[in-house]
Amino acid sequence: MSAVRENGVIVAIDGPSGAGKSSLTKLLARRLGYIHIDTGAMFRAVALMSKRAGIASDDDAGLAELCRGLEITFVRDGENCRVLANGEDVSREIRSEEIGLLTSAISARKPVREALLIMQRAMGAKGGVILEGRDIGTVVFPDAEVKFFLSASAEERGRRRYLELAARGDQATLEETIAKVIQRDRQDEGREHAPLKQAEDALPIDSTSLSIDQVLTVMENAVRERLVQGDKG
Ligand code: DC
């Protein structure tokens, strides 16, 4: 088996919304001393900027133009990571339900996927990174050394999202939130370009009845095992 890349391995974490990817990616990155890249936040930033610019979600030429002039960067802020779009901190604004649904629509468009694919590959190439998203193990880094596919039932994912929204003071009912999770899954799985699906060589983890700590331990062990193999490669 080949030795790992310059800064370590590439870890791909894919799965539907609400499966726990964000929390786990953050914790795993801290344990391994790796950089974490939230690719969903990049698609969300494109969605927000397209809304502001009045570009329709099916206007491929407009979206391509927008992406050409858009610089997305992540900056560390203590324990958190802030997302900047052309230098503006959009971390909070991209998290609304409205932007979430719009993101699901614009992330299905080819020019948007092509533009972000280039950015994501450049960000991760040296390794020592964990990328979370929908197509990391299948399209962005099919050669990632470690791949996880994290899932949970739609009800459980909706419940987690509802608690998150309530903690932020956002208005929503549990039923509505579950319905939106199901709607988003359908859009993400049914699209033509880079649909959400498990890579054949990904380790599937169903987190419905597991604690964050339990999942984290499984993931950390898998990465460390791969690092030991890489050192011998
Ligand atoms: O992970 P998230 O909820 O922030 O993602 C928002 C949307 O972006 C989601 O509907 C799917 C899309 N997405 C994608 O298509 N590919 C990725 N690598 C990450 C997110």
Side-chain angles (χ1 to χ4, degrees), residues 5-224:
R5 303 164 201 252
E6 199 173 327
N7 296 334
V9 293
I10 293 180
V11 182
I13 305 185
D14 290 306
S17 50
K21 294 190 303 295
S22 298
S23 319
L24 282 155
T25 305
K26 213 185 282 181
L27 292 167
L28 187 61
R30 202 184 307 153
R31 282 209 186 169
L32 297 167
Y34 274 23
I35 291 169
H36 101 250
I37 298 170
D38 173 359
T39 63
M42 300 172 78
F43 285 97
R44 284 173 181 268
V46 175
L48 173 68
M49 299 314 255
S50 73
K51 180 177 168 243
R52 285 193 192 164
I55 299 167
S57 59
D58 60 354
D59 174 2
D60 282 344
L63 289 169
E65 177 74 30
L66 175 79
C67 289
R68 269 195 292 278
L70 184 59
E71 191 190 22
I72 302 172
T73 40
F74 292 101
V75 287
R76 196 86 179 251
D77 175 20
E79 291 291 281
N80 295 312
C81 200
R82 313 215 64 86
V83 188
L84 309 188
N86 289 338
E88 179 193 345
D89 185 350
V90 293
S91 313
R92 188 178 161 84
E93 224 179 317
I94 60 172
R95 296 290 159 200
S96 71
E97 280 299 289
E98 187 199 354
I99 294 299
L101 278 179
L102 179 61
T103 306
S104 185
I106 69 108
S107 66
R109 309 309 298 189
K110 200 168 173 211
V112 175
R113 297 216 75 84
E114 283 174 350
L116 293 197
L117 178 67
I118 294 169
M119 289 187 213
Q120 290 158 11
R121 284 191 177 153
M123 287 174 172
K126 288 186 179 169
V129 288
I130 309 178
L131 293 105
E132 55 151 315
R134 303 294 191 287
D135 62 337
I136 309 301
T138 50
V139 176
V140 184
F141 284 109
D143 59 343
E145 286 78 13
V146 187
K147 299 180 187 178
F148 300 106
F149 193 84
L150 197 58
S151 63
S153 71
E155 289 70 27
E156 175 60 17
R157 290 185 288 119
R159 194 187 65 85
R160 291 175 190 169
R161 179 75 187 137
Y162 169 73
L163 293 177
E164 229 175 75
L165 291 172
R168 277 182 11 178
D170 287 0
Q171 299 289 323
T173 68
L174 178 59
E175 244 171 34
E176 257 168 38
T177 314
I178 293 174
K180 279 188 185 149
V181 162
I182 293 171
Q183 183 188 348
R184 193 115 71 89
D185 285 356
R186 222 173 272 144
Q187 280 178 214
D188 295 345
E189 287 164 5
R191 68 183 177 214
E192 184 187 348
H193 307 293
L196 168 67
K197 73 167 192 258
Q198 187 182 318
E200 275 176 18
D201 51 350
L203 178 68
I205 304 176
D206 183 341
S207 74
T208 307
S209 49
L210 295 177
S211 69
I212 289 222
D213 252 1
Q214 286 171 314
V215 181
L216 187 59
T217 302
V218 171
M219 289 181 155
E220 188 182 358
N221 289 344
V223 178
R224 293 208 184 277

